[in-house]
Amino acid sequence: MATDGLHENETLASLKSEAESLKGKLEEERAKLHDVELHQVAERVEALGQFVMKTRRTLKGHGNKVLCMDWCKDKRRIVSSSQDGKVIVWDSFTTNKEHAVTMPCTWVMACAYAPSGCAIACGGLDNKCSVYPLTFDKNENMAAKKKSVAMHTNYLSACSFTNSDMQILTASGDGTCALWDVESGQLLQSFHGHGADVLCLDLAPSETGNTFVSGGCDKKAMVWDMRSGQCVQAFETHESDINSVRYYPSGDAFASGSDDATCRLYDLRADREVAIYSKESIIFGASSVDFSLSGRLLFAGYNDYTINVWDVLKGSRVSILFGHENRVSTLRVSPDGTAFCSGSWDHTLRVWA
Amino acid sequence: MSGSSSVAAMKKVVQQLRLEAGLNRVKVSQAAADLKQFCLQNAQHDPLLTGVSSSTNPFRPQRVCSFL
């Protein structure tokens, strides 16, 4: 028995040294390919002019902090969720509320619209992700048709339908992500690797295949193969929690927003960070990021109540948007790119264009 | 903590690192050129970038029609 212990110690030590040497090799490989900076490649690109972006609609109705929102594919409906447990579906053109449901828990941190537009998913402190079919029948109680799909062992931080209404991808404070079948509630795949709470996820654009990226409190962004459950790439350059991740429209890169007050761009083919969007004057965390349709603009909502608009290629800030009276907690560009919506701890959502 | 679980955990770490080390990577100059290319090619179809006029953006205020 004593000899077994000795053997294990040797194996552990040799594994540790192999890990160190592999990490060193990875850094070397990545550094070799770092021949230029993105903004240098973009030097000759025409600079962007002045942007006039204003709040065009304000959606009022939540009784507490807005935590999450998502657009419907019809480019006009929006679902939002709040700390007070309410989930509301809005018509953003008219600002009318079309549906409202009260969750049995507070802090509904995640919500998503189904691709068909016929259902929404949400969850938070209840550790679950539930799906609600949307009905226009006044006699039907939305809460009655609720279907519990995902079960985690800690809070639900993010959820997203895949290409269809049939599958949902979730991220949780329990450190894992998971893929679920909506109809049966069955767990199809789980993704282990984060060393702490997972705070966000984003699915790759459908043309690029079955992968998604997640970000967490372990400062890591991880790219996963949905079929195998394997982590295919990992990036650890942020200095604090990663609150938001979003794919670049081509699927070859993704952006992240973090509590370290920076947003960063990671290129998947170069396998490294290729840009940092930061300023000395920005000291509050970025809570949510999204790209404009061409990927040229990166919109980021911050805990200092502002939204900064970045030139993705040149790395410079092109605009700063004021309006919210508390932290911006969520931000998404509309499906046709004509506007973007932000949600805030000031209880409102704003549509900007 | 038992010795064997640390070994098992380290084995996973090493396996993962081996996988990542085997990746085919592209030079940043190439990757950056492709990102730039994508932006420029799609710039015209990006309403928030080009600033779509009021008549086509459903969120911007409509101009009032007047009969002359």
Side-chain angles (χ1 to χ4, degrees), chain A residues 8 15 18 26 33 35-36 41 45 51 56-57 92-93 230-231 248 267 269-271 292 294 337-339 353, chain B residues 3 14 16 18-19 23 25-29 31 34-36 38-39 45-49 57-61:
Chain A
E8 265 174 20
L15 281 173
E18 188 179 351
L26 262 173
L33 300 164
D35 54 347
V36 79
V41 167
V45 174
F51 277 94
R56 305 290 174 175
R57 301 285 190 282
S92 64
F93 287 2
Q230 192 79 35
C231 166
Y248 185 77
D267 188 288
R269 296 177 318 142
D271 188 37
S292 68
S294 66
T338 51
Chain B
V14 170
Q16 182 61 36
R18 279 190 196 146
L19 199 80
L23 207 64
R25 291 177 189 81
V26 153
K27 280 192 181 173
V28 176
S29 50
D34 290 347
L35 289 176
K36 182 180 88 171
F38 186 90
C39 276
H45 307 291
D46 185 342
L48 285 168
L49 186 66
N57 188 323
F59 290 103
R60 292 205 172 176

Side-chain angles (χ1 to χ4, degrees), chain A residues 326-347:
Chain A
N326 207 320
R327 289 193 189 191
V328 178
S329 52
T330 178
L331 186 157
R332 298 294 296 255
V333 171
S334 72
D336 62 354
T338 51
F340 69 91
C341 179
S342 58
S344 163
W345 280 19
D346 70 7
H347 308 189

Side-chain angles (χ1 to χ4, degrees), chain B residues 9-65:
Chain B
M10 272 317 286
K11 272 193 180 158
K12 275 196 178 160
V13 170
V14 170
Q15 246 174 2
Q16 182 61 36
L17 286 169
R18 279 190 196 146
L19 199 80
E20 291 178 32
L23 207 64
N24 273 332
R25 291 177 189 81
V26 153
K27 280 192 181 173
V28 176
S29 50
Q30 178 63 54
D34 290 347
L35 289 176
K36 182 180 88 171
Q37 180 77 338
F38 186 90
C39 276
L40 298 178
Q41 267 175 351
N42 292 284
Q44 278 181 342
H45 307 291
D46 185 342
L48 285 168
L49 186 66
T50 58
V52 174
S53 72
S54 305
S55 51
T56 35
N57 188 323
F59 290 103
R60 292 205 172 176
Q62 295 289 324
R63 298 237 178 94
V64 179
C65 276

Side-chain angles (χ1 to χ4, degrees), chain A residues 49-258:
Chain A
Q50 279 289 1
F51 277 94
V52 178
M53 258 176 246
K54 292 189 204 166
T55 301
R56 305 290 174 175
R57 301 285 190 282
T58 304
L59 306 178
K60 294 189 188 177
H62 275 296
N64 213 322
K65 308 176 173 70
V66 175
L67 303 174
C68 188
M69 59 81 39
D70 191 20
W71 287 91
C72 175
K73 284 210 157 84
D74 71 1
K75 315 156 211 164
R76 87 186 255 175
R77 282 172 181 79
I78 285 176
V79 62
S80 61
S81 62
S82 163
Q83 183 196 345
D84 67 357
K86 289 237 175 27
V87 177
I88 300 178
V89 174
W90 316 76
D91 176 333
S92 64
F93 287 2
T94 61
T95 75
N96 288 338
K97 297 177 202 41
E98 294 194 343
H99 304 268
V101 72
T102 306
M103 293 280 286
C105 66
T106 57
W107 289 88
V108 187
M109 295 172 233
C111 63
Y113 229 115
S116 68
C118 298
I120 53 149
C122 55
L125 286 187
D126 57 352
N127 299 357
K128 293 191 213 163
C129 183
S130 306
V131 175
Y132 290 86
L134 294 175
T135 170
F136 279 95
D137 186 342
K138 296 280 177 192
N139 296 326
E140 271 205 49
N141 180 5
M142 227 174 104
K145 295 258 169 163
K146 166 178 168 176
K147 190 185 291 188
S148 276
V149 174
M151 284 284 289
H152 277 280
T153 53
N154 209 326
Y155 64 90
L156 186 82
S157 55
C159 64
S160 174
F161 283 87
T162 59
N163 300 336
S164 76
D165 286 19
M166 299 290 96
Q167 292 182 354
I168 285 191
L169 195 55
T170 57
S172 166
D174 67 13
T176 71
C177 296
L179 181 66
W180 310 82
D181 176 273
V182 173
E183 194 53 52
S184 61
Q186 196 190 1
L187 173 67
L188 298 171
Q189 187 60 264
S190 67
F191 307 88
H192 297 260
H194 275 287
D197 306 22
V198 186
L199 299 178
C200 51
L201 62 79
D202 191 36
L203 272 138
S206 35
E207 309 80 51
T208 5
N210 292 336
T211 58
F212 73 95
V213 60
S214 63
C217 291
D218 58 356
K219 310 175 200 169
K220 280 202 240 173
M222 299 177 85
V223 181
W224 308 86
D225 178 316
M226 277 168 71
R227 281 195 207 104
S228 66
Q230 192 79 35
C231 166
V232 294
Q233 281 173 276
F235 304 88
E236 199 172 353
T237 61
H238 270 293
E239 293 166 21
S240 188
D241 300 2
I242 297 179
N243 299 312
S244 174
V245 285
R246 195 75 67 211
Y247 270 92
Y248 185 77
S250 71
D252 288 333
F254 69 90
S256 57
S258 162

